[in-house]
Amino acid sequence: MSTATKVVGTSVLKVDALEKVTGAALYTADLKFPRLLHACVVRSPHDHAKVLGIRNDQALKVPGVRAIATGKEFPLHTGIYLKDQTVFATDRVRYVGDAVAAVAAETPEAAHEAAALLEVDYAPLEPIFDVLKGIEEGAPLVHPDLAKYECVPWISPKAGTNINNHLKVRKGDYEAALKRCAHVFENTFTVPQVQHVPMEPHVSVARVDNAGRVQVHTSAQSPFTVRHLLSACFKLPHGDVEVVVPTVGGGFGGKAGINLEPIAVALALKTRGRPVRVMVDRSEEFYATVVRQGLTATLVTGVDRKGKVQAQKMRYLWDCGAYGGYGVNVVRAAGYTCGGAYFFPNVWGDSIGVYTNRPVGSAYRGFGMGEIHWALEQQMDMVAHEIGMDPVQFRLHNCLGPGKTTVTGQVLGKFAGRVDKCIRKVDESLKISKKGPRKAGWKPGKDGKYHGKGIACAVKAPAMPNNASSSVVLKFAEDETLEILISGIDYGQGLMTVAAQYAAEALDLPMDKIRVRGKPDTDLSPYDWQTVASRQTWATGNAVLKGCEMLKEQLFDMAAQALKAPKSRLVLKGCKVVDKKTRKSVKLAELVMGYQFPDGHTIGGPVAAAATYVPEGLLFLDPDTSQSKKPVAKWTFGAQGVELSVDPETGVFTIHKLTACYDVGKVVNPAMILGQTYGGIVQGVGTAMMEELILDEKTGKPRNAALMDYKIPTSLDIPDKLEAHYVETPQQDGPLGARGIGEHTMIPTPAAISDALYDACGIRILEMPITAEKVLRALKSSRKL
């Protein structure tokens, strides 16, 4: 592997053969499961129907069938925040693809044959596909028993409705402020459900031994959360459930909660001693696992004569699909971030999760932020143009900054991040600001195409419980190699490399002396809440640095006696503990297993530490207004700008340049942060221009559940030029000042593209995705041709 430069703090570290540091080469071999049984899940062909009965007589006669599991045997609920889903459908199915039963057999062929012979009697019910219809009084209920479900205290389902969560934001006096505004604008924007499309589809293997102990190997982002949810679902002690996560082939939020694992465990409970594998094919991945939630957003903005927003109302209606176990927290996060990167003195915000009979909505990269920024950033752009103000200047005029308050009343400190600097950097790169109102009329350039530029801001905080923690174990081997055990999942973002960098910086160790063990096993690995929320560099990084200080204390305790020097004079340098005054030193290899004096007596012992990081000072939101002095741990701000051209004959538009700038606190690894930025941009381009899970609303069945029909970006769709910049306002509680960026890089992309389209040819696309067909239709409708 070629050498890469890694920057941490003030040090530049050289890394060769990165596989040594991360142990990546250890994970290339396929896991082997002797006597493996293969599962086939029987899924509902109906979008909404009662389950009247299941007959399995013929299925059991298929040679090789070892077990059939149904909801009657396992009427168990699960869900991370709201327990609204059962392992298998019991009384009713709620979307096409809902699991009704599963078969375990000796071969995949036998399992599929038996599954086809299972007979299920259904009584169709009226479905709901539209959130606006779903919240109407008297609408068919997707979950009539909503009042009976368990949920965490900060989720608010409404019994007798299709509303699974409603977060209210009330700041200032919105109604009074709106009456004083010189201009008021109202617009509605929509976002469809989209798929995560991980390279590796969901797959889980479960085995239950004769003592009833459960072991699960699964492709997941959160092994300890999977263990916790399985334990709760099957009423097992946590100590009797082991979850192992090998290398994960992509997640993007879709593997954050619990998915196929309960089905695998249910079958394994009926086939003791035999491992059972449950996996979905590519088609099932599109609709039978989880998707990003849809959104209908209505915004009302009131501005004064100076271009200051004085009143802002936001109503976000989330299409959570059939179940909201994880998606209800997307609703919550979107609520307390409803104002985006702007200072709004008077706010009326409602973020409402609605059940429909669509596929299950869940976490997706950005956790609701890409969706609300699609609406909010276009709204800000539209308001700026309507009042004759430059969109860049309008954003600078209204953006958040030190001393200003968020929609939840949190006062931002001087180290909170600077979106204004990000805006200016993007404008400097693309020359978006026109120094005055846009002149009426749009004309094509000499090439016959329309040309335009647009900008959009972004902000995101980690959406997590106040006690979400990360822990690590650090221990030296006899040859002074440092081993770091983590349970955050590295699925390409570089967590294992960053953990090694932090340790190298803190202990002045060469990178080739560090090994990060990142293949978590809940029996053996330290606890970590989840690999979500762009929190690992920050949370695990803090834990590593804390652990390194503990190691230093142990090393210095022994070295002080060995060198007969006070600890205050000691420093770590080049695998030695050095006395700064005398220059005498002792090698780490002489200390890491305990120091032995010439006469043979030994002090200390193996040098090791366990360290934990949990965010400090977080406070709950007020249940009625969502006001709080510190509801989240940190904010990461950014902005993106787009330069594009539009072909008036076809509606096809080409992005010539896309510039991004984020305030990341501290760039820990230049190469990896560029990879995160560019990867996020391309994913944002995909959701902006082409991605949408389309259902046939007569049947509820997906129409594009294949990569032939569901388009994702290829190399041909990447912008001609990508450019990234970073502001470094140190995060006070960040490891060496760093804050997360993993999700943020795709948040503003769709809105920036739409704003550039308006600048180019005067059209607004309010429904994502922005396809060439929509652009051409809008051009014709606006009579620009």
Side-chain angles (χ1 to χ4, degrees), residues 314 316 334-344 372 376 400 407 459:
M314 291 141 295
Y316 298 143
Y336 64 66
T337 321
C338 65
Y342 299 98
F343 168 64
F344 296 141
I372 69 171
L376 185 60
L400 283 167
V407 294
V459 66

Side-chain angles (χ1 to χ4, degrees), residues 233-499:
C233 178
F234 292 95
K235 297 178 174 54
L236 296 168
H238 284 61
D240 288 345
V241 179
E242 178 186 9
V243 177
V244 180
V245 175
T247 303
V248 177
F252 308 112
K255 298 176 182 176
I258 196 166
N259 290 282
L260 301 179
E261 295 89 356
I263 297 175
V265 171
L267 288 169
L269 284 167
K270 300 191 70 173
T271 55
R272 298 288 179 105
R274 300 288 299 271
V276 181
R277 182 173 66 181
V278 182
M279 60 186 297
V280 295
D281 61 24
R282 179 57 67 184
S283 178
E284 288 178 302
E285 181 72 32
F286 276 98
Y287 66 92
T289 55
V290 292
V291 299
R292 187 176 81 173
Q293 300 183 148
L295 174 66
T296 298
T298 300
L299 279 63
V300 180
T301 304
V303 296
D304 62 21
R305 298 187 186 280
K306 295 182 180 180
K308 280 277 191 180
V309 177
Q310 297 296 337
Q312 183 64 47
K313 184 175 185 179
M314 291 141 295
R315 187 172 189 248
Y316 298 143
L317 294 178
W318 293 93
D319 185 344
C320 294
Y323 301 100
Y326 209 124
V328 290
N329 198 32
V330 176
V331 175
R332 179 176 179 269
Y336 64 66
T337 321
C338 65
Y342 299 98
F343 168 64
F344 296 141
N346 301 284
V347 176
W348 187 286
D350 291 285
S351 188
I352 303 169
V354 183
Y355 286 123
T356 67
N357 296 111
R358 290 179 176 273
V360 180
S362 187
Y364 182 99
R365 188 177 190 176
F367 211 71
M369 297 304 104
E371 298 91 294
I372 69 171
H373 281 76
W374 163 256
L376 185 60
E377 284 300 318
Q378 285 206 79
Q379 178 80 349
M380 294 298 100
D381 210 70
M382 295 164 79
V383 170
H385 284 294
E386 288 290 339
I387 66 174
M389 193 169 182
D390 180 79
V392 173
Q393 299 307 315
F394 181 78
R395 285 173 168 83
L396 290 170
H397 199 46
N398 287 283
C399 68
L400 283 167
K404 295 182 179 180
T405 58
T406 67
V407 294
T408 61
Q410 181 181 2
V411 180
L412 298 181
K414 64 178 181 178
F415 297 110
R418 298 291 298 273
V419 68
D420 59 325
K421 291 185 178 181
C422 297
I423 294 170
R424 288 190 171 94
K425 191 65 181 180
V426 170
D427 185 40
E428 177 187 319
S429 171
L430 287 171
K431 306 292 187 295
I432 300 170
S433 184
K434 294 178 170 58
K435 309 301 180 184
R438 199 193 196 294
K439 295 181 180 180
W442 287 265
K443 295 181 180 179
K446 293 181 180 180
D447 59 357
K449 297 180 179 180
Y450 294 105
H451 294 261
K453 301 173 184 178
I455 190 171
C457 300
V459 66
K460 186 185 182 298
M464 61 187 187
N466 291 5
N467 61 352
S469 59
S470 291
S471 55
V472 299
V473 172
L474 302 93
K475 57 191 180 76
F476 278 103
E478 292 88 339
D479 66 349
E480 70 195 25
T481 295
L482 177 66
E483 296 177 282
I484 306 174
L485 280 62
I486 64 173
S487 290
I489 306 299
D490 192 333
Y491 34 53
Q493 80 276 36
L495 170 61
M496 294 166 72
T497 302
V498 167

Side-chain angles (χ1 to χ4, degrees), residues 584-605:
K584 292 182 179 179
S585 64
V586 57
K587 295 178 180 179
L588 289 188
E590 299 177 68
L591 297 170
V592 293
M593 291 295 132
Y595 183 76
Q596 189 174 74
F597 285 89
D599 65 0
H601 82 277
T602 303
I603 58 174

